[in-house]
Amino acid sequence: MRTSRILIAATAVTLALAGCSTTSEGTALAEGEANENGSTTGTFDIAALDTGEYRIEPRDFIAEGQAAGDFGPAVEGQRMAEFVIHPYTIDPTLTNGGGMSTGVGVGGIGKVLSGGGAPEVAESYGVITGFGSFSGKPDGSRQLGVAVWRFPDADSASQAAAALHANALAPEDDGFAAGPQTPVSIPQLPDTFATTYYWESLDTASMSTFTARGPHVVYTYTSAENNDVEWASDTTARALEEQLPRIEQFPFSPTDEIESLPVDLDKVLARAVGYTENEYARNSDTAVYGPLGWLHFDSHPAETADIFEATGTDRVALANSTVYRTSGPEAARELRDAFREQSRETYPDLVDEPAPQGVPDTLCRAGDIAEGRLMDCMMIYGPYVAQLIGHRAVGNTDPDDDTLRTMPQRVATQYTKFVRAEELGLGEN
C-alpha cells in the first residue's frame, strides 16, 4: 500500500517561509473551459486569490545573505541523506518504510537507539546530526535500518563507535532488553563492532553494528523472526559493504562551516508554500533533498526512483507543500501523472474535484479515507511540480490539526509563488 508520500505530507502540512500581486500570462490561465491538462484558457489574475496569512513573495536566501545558522545541522543531515543507502536495495522485500526512525536527527541520534544509554553516549562525543533509513517487510518479520551520525572529527567518531559498542555490551536497564548483547565479528569487516541479540519471547534474532568512517559513525540494525540468524548476518554484511564506501564519497562540510551552509542553493525551497507564524513546524518539515535522499520517505522507492530518472527530477523541497524540480514542462507533466496514478492505486475512493479558487494547472482528488478526510492536489508550472495535502482526522475538532481548512489558501499561495519566482528569474534552470 502506498501511503508515505501523502501521509508524510499530510502530517507535515500542519507540519517557513505578504507580498505583491501580478497578472500572469501563458501558463497562468483563467477560469473557463478546462483543457486536457486541467488548465483553463486566457489570463489569470493572481491578485484576486485569497492567500490568507501566507507569504507570497519567494525568498532568495542567498541574495539576502542568510545562511543556515542554527539550522545548519539539519541541512547537513538532509545533504547526507543522498549518501545513505536504501534498505530495499539490499532486500527488495523491505518495502514498509518511512517511519519515525527515518529522517534527520539533530544534536543526537533521533529515534534510533532511543534507550539503553546510547543517546547519552553519542552526545558525550559531540554528535552533530545524522540521517537514518529504516524499512521492513509489511508483516514485520524482517527489518533493516541504516543510520549515519556526524561527529566533530574522525577521532571523536572513532571513540564514539567504540563507546556505543561497549554500551551495547552492558546497557542501562531501560526495561526493553532483557540483558546485554553478545559481541561477534564480521570477518570481511574487521573494523566493525558487531553484536547479536536473541529475543526469546519473539523468537527473533537481531544484529547491530557500529563502524567509524572519517567524522561519521555508521550504524546498522537487522532483525528476523524465527531466529533467522543467517538472514540477519548476511543482510548486515551486505548493507555495510554498500554503505561504507558510499559515506566515504559524501562531501561533508567542515564542522566550523556547518552553520554557514546555504539553506536553498537551487532556489526550490523558495517556491514551497512555507508556514505562517501560527503554524507549528519541526526541523524536518522544512527540507531540501536530492532525489535519492527523498526516496527514504517513499513506500515504493524503486518505482519512484525510476520516475525520477525518467523525468530528470533532481531536487525536492518540503515546506507546507512538496515541490519537485524536473528537467522541463513535459517531464513535469509526466511526473504529475505518475504520482496521480499512484494516488489512485492507494486511495481508489478519492474522486476528482475542481482546484480551490480555480487555480490553473492544478488537479485535485478528495474524499474519505480510514483516517479521515483527505484532499490531494498536484500543480505543474514550467519544470516544477507541487503537491499539496489537506487532511482532517476523524473526530478532529482542533483547527490547528486540520490542514484541510488551509488548502484553498495554500494552493493559491503555491501558484502565486511559482508566478513570482518566474518573474524574478529565481533559480532558472
Side-chain angles (χ1 to χ4, degrees), residues 14 16-18 53-55 274-281 320 400:
T14 58
L17 300 169
E53 298 180 5
Y54 292 99
R55 176 191 175 105
Y275 298 91
T276 68
E277 292 184 358
N278 296 324
E279 288 181 321
Y280 170 74
N320 227 344
D400 291 337

Side-chain angles (χ1 to χ4, degrees), residues 25 32 44 72 85 137 161 192 201 305 307 312 325 390 409:
E25 298 182 357
F44 187 84
I85 65 170
K137 294 188 68 173
T192 290
S201 61
I307 296 170
R325 186 176 69 175
Q409 290 77 30

Side-chain angles (χ1 to χ4, degrees), residues 90-158:
I90 305 301
D91 185 331
T93 68
L94 304 177
T95 58
N96 190 20
M100 289 297 291
S101 294
T102 293
V104 174
V106 175
I109 54 180
K111 298 291 183 179
V112 183
L113 293 176
S114 58
E120 293 76 15
V121 171
E123 290 164 15
S124 71
Y125 287 94
V127 63
I128 298 171
T129 189
F131 189 89
S133 187
F134 287 70
S135 292
K137 294 188 68 173
D139 63 5
S141 61
R142 290 177 175 176
Q143 298 179 56
L144 167 62
V146 179
V148 180
W149 300 313
R150 169 66 187 276
F151 290 83
D153 50 48
D155 186 54
S156 299
S158 179

Side-chain angles (χ1 to χ4, degrees), residues 157-172:
S158 179
Q159 293 182 52
L164 286 164
H165 174 67
N167 179 74
L169 297 179
E172 294 179 0

Side-chain angles (χ1 to χ4, degrees), residues 2-19:
R2 182 177 198 88
T3 59
S4 63
R5 180 182 302 113
I6 287 180
L7 291 185
I8 284 175
T11 56
V13 137
T14 58
L15 308 124
L17 300 169

